[in-house]
Amino acid sequence: MWEFTTTYFSYWRSSSPENKLIEWEKVCRNIDSYLQHGKGMEKDKRVEQILVLSYNLLPYNLKSCFLYLGCFREDEYIEAENLYLLWMAEGMISLEDRGRGESLRDVAERYLFELANKCMVQVEMDEYSIYNKFKSCRLHDLMRDLCLLKGKEEGFVEVVDSQMGRADESSICKTSRLVIHLDQLDNDHIHNIGKNKNLRSLLFLRKWWHYRDWNHMKCLNFGMFKFIKILVIEGYQFKNGQLPKGVGKLILLKLLSIKDSLVEELPVSVCKLPYLQSLNLQVGEHIKLPNFIHKMRTLRHLYLPRRSSIIGGENLKLDGLNELETLIDFDSSQDDITNLLKMQKLRVLDGRISDEGSLSIIIDYILNHQYQFHNIELRIQGKCNVNQENDGSTLRRLLMCRSLRVLDIQCTVSKLPAYEVQLYQNVIKLNLCGTGIEEDPMEILEKLPVLRNLWLRRDAYVGKEMVCRATGFPQLRRLGLVELPNLVEWRVEKRSNAQSFDLRIMNCSKLEKIPDGLKFITTLSQLYIFGMAEELKKRVGVVDGEEGEDYHKIKHIPSIHIYEW
C-alpha cells in the first residue's frame, strides 16, 4: 500500500490540473479495493499490523485529527468544512504550520489531504469548486474500527450510539469528549452526562429529518459544564423552541452549532460569549435573532439562517466583526451591506443580493479586494438591474471578479456579456432563472473555461433554437434545461467529453426530439427526462420491447430516467 501511495502522489504533484480529479477517483478505487481485500482477512494479524503501523507512523497532530473522525457514524460522509471548524475549535490545527498568507482553515484542509495521502481516510473531491479541494470524507470500516480502538485506548472520545451497544457509564462520567448519536436519551444517560464536570466537547448529532421533541433534556443544565469549548446540537427540536438552559453561560465556548434544529429564537446571552469563533445558525425553520451578533468580536466563521427576522425590525448589524473570515447566507434585504466594507479578513462570502444599490456596493468591494477573497457565491434576485447596456454594465463588472465561483441570477438580463479572458474566469456553477435572454446563450457560455454546472430555468432563454458546438464546455459535468417553453430545436455537434457528464431536461414542452449529437457523448452517465411532450417520450422510449426511433441516441447511457408529469 505504501509503495502504491508514494508512486501515486509523485505523479499527482507532476500531473496537470485537469487530470488530477480523474486520477484521484482511480486511487480511491484502488485504496478501497485494498481495504476490501483486507476485510476478508479480518482474522489475519498482518492486516491489523499494517493498519496499526499506519496509525503509529502518523505525526502527532494528524493522530488527533484522525481519531476525531471516530465521532461520526459508520459509513457517514463527513462534510469537510464542518470537520475543519471542529478541528480548529479543538486546537488541533497548529499555528506554526501556517504558510505565508494561509489561514487555519487552509492548514486544516492540508491536514485532511495528508491523511488521504497516507490512505487513512477516503475523500470525495469537490468537483464544483476551486477553493474547496474536498467536499466530504469517510472512513473505511476497517479504518473506523482502528479509529475507535485507538480512541478508546487513549481515552480520546466516548461515543454513545445504539448501534454500538450500551455505553460505558464510567467513561461517560470521565471523558473530555462526548458524542451522542441517539434519538432519545434515557434518565441514566442524562444523569451520567450531568456528573461529568470535565467535558470539553459535547456533540449531539442527528439527521435533520429525525426531529423529536427534546422534552427529556429539560433537566440537563448546560451551565454546569464550565469548561466546554465545543457544543454541537444538530437535528433536534427543543421544548418551546428554546435552547437548553445554560448555553449562554458557557464562557469558554469556541464553537456553537444548532444546524438543522428547530429553534424559535436565539437568546441574547449567546451573543455575549467572549471567545466564540464559529457560530452556525442554519436551523431547520424560521428563527428570530437579537441584533447583538455584531458584539461577538472574536467571531471568525458565521453561518446565518436562511429564514430569519430581526427582533426590533432593523437590518442585522454586523459592524465590529473584524475577525470574520467566513460569512454564509448573507441577505442584503435583512443584513446591513455597508458592514461588509470593514471586514478586512473576509475570505468566503455566500450571499443573496436583492437590490441594485447593494449589488453595486458588493461589486466595488470585491473588485477593490481581489486578493483578499478565496471564494464568493452570489444569488442575485428581486429588483436588481444587471442589464447589458455598455462596457461598464453591472453584470460585466461582476463577472470580472476573479474569486466569483458560483453565480445564481434570478432577475431579467437582456443579454449576457460577450466572453473575454478577464470575464467568467473562475465561474464553476451558473444558474440562470427567469432571465429572459433572447439570443442563444450557449455561444457565450460554452467558452467558460472552468464551468462545470449549468442550469437554465423558467424562461432563462426565450428563443426557439439552441446550439452546443463541438469544442464548447471543456469542463462541464452537469447541464439542466428546465421550463424553457419556447425551445423547439436543440442541436449538439459531435464531440468527445473527457469527464463524466449528466443531463436533465424538464418541462420543455415544445422540444419534440433530443439532439443527434448525444449519441457521440460516450461519457454521458445519466439522463433525466421529466414532463416532456408525448412525441419526445415515444421517440426515446421502449414500449413492449420496441425501441423508439431516437432510442439509439441514448442507449449507451448507463442510467436513464423518463418520468411523467
Side-chain angles (χ1 to χ4, degrees), residues 220-226 245-247 249-250:
L220 183 58
N221 182 0
F222 282 80
M224 69 178 70
F225 304 121
K226 297 181 180 180
K245 185 178 179 181
V247 172
K249 297 180 180 179
L250 305 177

PDB file of all heavy atoms in Angstrom, residues 220-226 245-247 249-250:
ATOM      1  N   LEU A 220     -31.283  18.757  32.005  1.00  0.00           N
ATOM      2  CA  LEU A 220     -29.839  18.853  31.819  1.00  0.00           C
ATOM      3  C   LEU A 220     -29.461  20.319  31.668  1.00  0.00           C
ATOM      4  O   LEU A 220     -29.722  20.945  30.635  1.00  0.00           O
ATOM      5  CB  LEU A 220     -29.411  18.054  30.583  1.00  0.00           C
ATOM      6  CG  LEU A 220     -27.902  18.004  30.296  1.00  0.00           C
ATOM      7  CD1 LEU A 220     -27.160  17.419  31.490  1.00  0.00           C
ATOM      8  CD2 LEU A 220     -27.617  17.189  29.052  1.00  0.00           C
ATOM      9  N   ASN A 221     -28.864  20.876  32.669  1.00  0.00           N
ATOM     10  CA  ASN A 221     -28.487  22.291  32.676  1.00  0.00           C
ATOM     11  C   ASN A 221     -27.074  22.422  32.106  1.00  0.00           C
ATOM     12  O   ASN A 221     -26.101  22.033  32.756  1.00  0.00           O
ATOM     13  CB  ASN A 221     -28.555  22.841  34.095  1.00  0.00           C
ATOM     14  CG  ASN A 221     -28.221  24.321  34.147  1.00  0.00           C
ATOM     15  OD1 ASN A 221     -27.931  24.945  33.129  1.00  0.00           O
ATOM     16  ND2 ASN A 221     -28.263  24.885  35.343  1.00  0.00           N
ATOM     17  N   PHE A 222     -26.960  22.984  30.907  1.00  0.00           N
ATOM     18  CA  PHE A 222     -25.650  23.090  30.268  1.00  0.00           C
ATOM     19  C   PHE A 222     -24.729  24.054  31.015  1.00  0.00           C
ATOM     20  O   PHE A 222     -23.523  24.038  30.808  1.00  0.00           O
ATOM     21  CB  PHE A 222     -25.816  23.533  28.816  1.00  0.00           C
ATOM     22  CG  PHE A 222     -26.236  22.423  27.902  1.00  0.00           C
ATOM     23  CD1 PHE A 222     -27.560  22.027  27.843  1.00  0.00           C
ATOM     24  CD2 PHE A 222     -25.320  21.763  27.111  1.00  0.00           C
ATOM     25  CE1 PHE A 222     -27.962  21.004  27.016  1.00  0.00           C
ATOM     26  CE2 PHE A 222     -25.715  20.734  26.271  1.00  0.00           C
ATOM     27  CZ  PHE A 222     -27.032  20.351  26.233  1.00  0.00           C
ATOM     28  N   GLY A 223     -25.282  24.883  31.860  1.00  0.00           N
ATOM     29  CA  GLY A 223     -24.463  25.831  32.590  1.00  0.00           C
ATOM     30  C   GLY A 223     -23.474  25.179  33.546  1.00  0.00           C
ATOM     31  O   GLY A 223     -22.504  25.817  33.966  1.00  0.00           O
ATOM     32  N   MET A 224     -23.704  23.892  33.869  1.00  0.00           N
ATOM     33  CA  MET A 224     -22.799  23.212  34.800  1.00  0.00           C
ATOM     34  C   MET A 224     -21.490  22.797  34.121  1.00  0.00           C
ATOM     35  O   MET A 224     -20.514  22.490  34.788  1.00  0.00           O
ATOM     36  CB  MET A 224     -23.489  21.969  35.374  1.00  0.00           C
ATOM     37  CG  MET A 224     -23.705  20.856  34.370  1.00  0.00           C
ATOM     38  SD  MET A 224     -24.477  19.393  35.117  1.00  0.00           S
ATOM     39  CE  MET A 224     -26.127  20.020  35.424  1.00  0.00           C
ATOM     40  N   PHE A 225     -21.462  22.790  32.790  1.00  0.00           N
ATOM     41  CA  PHE A 225     -20.255  22.367  32.068  1.00  0.00           C
ATOM     42  C   PHE A 225     -19.372  23.599  31.825  1.00  0.00           C
ATOM     43  O   PHE A 225     -19.354  24.165  30.737  1.00  0.00           O
ATOM     44  CB  PHE A 225     -20.630  21.699  30.744  1.00  0.00           C
ATOM     45  CG  PHE A 225     -21.568  20.536  30.900  1.00  0.00           C
ATOM     46  CD1 PHE A 225     -22.802  20.537  30.263  1.00  0.00           C
ATOM     47  CD2 PHE A 225     -21.228  19.452  31.685  1.00  0.00           C
ATOM     48  CE1 PHE A 225     -23.664  19.472  30.399  1.00  0.00           C
ATOM     49  CE2 PHE A 225     -22.092  18.375  31.824  1.00  0.00           C
ATOM     50  CZ  PHE A 225     -23.319  18.385  31.183  1.00  0.00           C
ATOM     51  N   LYS A 226     -18.646  23.993  32.822  1.00  0.00           N
ATOM     52  CA  LYS A 226     -17.933  25.264  32.796  1.00  0.00           C
ATOM     53  C   LYS A 226     -16.757  25.283  31.827  1.00  0.00           C
ATOM     54  O   LYS A 226     -16.284  26.354  31.451  1.00  0.00           O
ATOM     55  CB  LYS A 226     -17.448  25.604  34.204  1.00  0.00           C
ATOM     56  CG  LYS A 226     -18.583  25.805  35.200  1.00  0.00           C
ATOM     57  CD  LYS A 226     -18.056  26.154  36.574  1.00  0.00           C
ATOM     58  CE  LYS A 226     -19.189  26.355  37.576  1.00  0.00           C
ATOM     59  NZ  LYS A 226     -18.692  26.698  38.930  1.00  0.00           N
ATOM     60  N   LYS A 245     -31.270  25.229  28.764  1.00  0.00           N
ATOM     61  CA  LYS A 245     -30.855  26.162  29.815  1.00  0.00           C
ATOM     62  C   LYS A 245     -29.341  26.159  30.000  1.00  0.00           C
ATOM     63  O   LYS A 245     -28.704  25.117  30.011  1.00  0.00           O
ATOM     64  CB  LYS A 245     -31.536  25.767  31.128  1.00  0.00           C
ATOM     65  CG  LYS A 245     -31.293  26.723  32.278  1.00  0.00           C
ATOM     66  CD  LYS A 245     -32.049  26.251  33.510  1.00  0.00           C
ATOM     67  CE  LYS A 245     -31.802  27.189  34.691  1.00  0.00           C
ATOM     68  NZ  LYS A 245     -32.514  26.726  35.910  1.00  0.00           N
ATOM     69  N   GLY A 246     -28.778  27.328  30.115  1.00  0.00           N
ATOM     70  CA  GLY A 246     -27.376  27.456  30.470  1.00  0.00           C
ATOM     71  C   GLY A 246     -26.414  27.579  29.308  1.00  0.00           C
ATOM     72  O   GLY A 246     -25.214  27.786  29.520  1.00  0.00           O
ATOM     73  N   VAL A 247     -26.886  27.470  28.051  1.00  0.00           N
ATOM     74  CA  VAL A 247     -25.963  27.559  26.909  1.00  0.00           C
ATOM     75  C   VAL A 247     -25.268  28.914  26.880  1.00  0.00           C
ATOM     76  O   VAL A 247     -24.075  29.010  26.571  1.00  0.00           O
ATOM     77  CB  VAL A 247     -26.716  27.309  25.576  1.00  0.00           C
ATOM     78  CG1 VAL A 247     -25.809  27.589  24.381  1.00  0.00           C
ATOM     79  CG2 VAL A 247     -27.224  25.879  25.513  1.00  0.00           C
ATOM     80  N   LYS A 249     -24.187  30.575  29.226  1.00  0.00           N
ATOM     81  CA  LYS A 249     -23.230  30.732  30.324  1.00  0.00           C
ATOM     82  C   LYS A 249     -21.905  30.014  30.059  1.00  0.00           C
ATOM     83  O   LYS A 249     -21.017  30.035  30.914  1.00  0.00           O
ATOM     84  CB  LYS A 249     -23.844  30.203  31.623  1.00  0.00           C
ATOM     85  CG  LYS A 249     -25.080  30.968  32.085  1.00  0.00           C
ATOM     86  CD  LYS A 249     -25.629  30.396  33.378  1.00  0.00           C
ATOM     87  CE  LYS A 249     -26.862  31.158  33.844  1.00  0.00           C
ATOM     88  NZ  LYS A 249     -27.413  30.580  35.095  1.00  0.00           N
ATOM     89  N   LEU A 250     -21.792  29.395  28.887  1.00  0.00           N
ATOM     90  CA  LEU A 250     -20.569  28.634  28.579  1.00  0.00           C
ATOM     91  C   LEU A 250     -19.512  29.602  28.057  1.00  0.00           C
ATOM     92  O   LEU A 250     -19.266  29.716  26.860  1.00  0.00           O
ATOM     93  CB  LEU A 250     -20.881  27.550  27.536  1.00  0.00           C
ATOM     94  CG  LEU A 250     -22.016  26.583  27.917  1.00  0.00           C
ATOM     95  CD1 LEU A 250     -22.283  25.600  26.800  1.00  0.00           C
ATOM     96  CD2 LEU A 250     -21.667  25.843  29.200  1.00  0.00           C
TER      97      LEU A 250
END
